[in-house]
Amino acid sequence: MFDYTVITNKTIDEAIHNLEESLKQEKFGVLWMFDIKEKLQEKGLEFSKEFKVLEVCNPDEAQRVLNQNEMAGYFLPCKIVVYEHEGKTKIGMSKPTALFSLLNDEKMKLFAKDIEDRLINVLNNSI
């Protein structure tokens, strides 16, 4: 699977708050949060589900990855989504190992695995 997704009984806002706290532990910060529901409704489109995309980054890791392979920039920053599905809140991300495998660079695969493990820990700690 290309993703890692967890389910929580928390509200979207509670889940995002917990995510932000867990991200800090791994020295990641939220660069931007995109509210898809709000943006679609702003454009006159009907979309009733809560769906938020958080772009997250650890500056030290971003620098390390980009110094190794600039093509990795196509996958930065990392995205975490928080959304409603059948009355539950889901928190998920695409796995860095899945994305970085497209680079065919063994060193990048090791970087991606480290970041993935840390972000999986963040998601697990947020439920």
Side-chain angles (χ1 to χ4, degrees):
M1 294 296 295
F2 79 95
D3 73 303
Y4 183 80
T5 303
V6 295
I7 300 171
T8 181
N9 290 322
K10 293 180 170 90
T11 66
I12 298 265
D13 290 336
E14 290 169 337
I16 290 171
H17 175 75
N18 287 354
L19 259 176
E20 290 173 331
E21 293 302 312
S22 293
L23 284 162
K24 286 178 191 172
Q25 305 271 328
E26 291 292 340
K27 297 187 169 85
F28 280 81
V30 176
L31 301 173
W32 185 55
M33 183 168 40
F34 181 56
D35 186 331
I36 291 182
K37 175 184 173 181
E38 180 182 288
K39 184 56 76 176
L40 290 176
Q41 289 178 348
E42 184 180 293
K43 300 293 182 187
L45 301 169
E46 183 56 39
F47 191 78
S48 60
K49 291 183 181 182
E50 292 293 328
F51 199 105
K52 303 200 183 203
V53 179
L54 288 72
E55 292 194 340
V56 304
C57 182
N58 175 313
D60 293 328
E61 298 299 345
Q63 178 190 34
R64 185 172 71 139
V65 166
L66 289 170
N67 281 335
Q68 175 65 32
N69 188 327
E70 292 172 343
M71 295 297 289
Y74 285 85
F75 308 125
L76 300 178
C78 297
K79 290 181 177 51
I80 298 176
V81 297
V82 183
Y83 61 100
E84 287 178 10
H85 181 75
E86 297 178 353
K88 298 282 185 188
T89 299
K90 289 191 171 187
I91 307 168
M93 65 175 192
S94 54
K95 290 181 176 177
T97 54
L99 297 172
F100 280 68
S101 69
L102 299 171
L103 297 175
N104 294 317
D105 180 330
E106 289 305 314
K107 196 165 188 179
M108 287 280 81
K109 288 179 185 177
L110 295 174
F111 286 152
K113 178 69 171 131
D114 176 54
I115 297 299
E116 182 174 302
D117 290 345
R118 291 164 63 193
L119 289 176
I120 284 173
N121 187 47
V122 164
L123 270 61
N124 288 340
N125 288 335
S126 299
I127 57 175

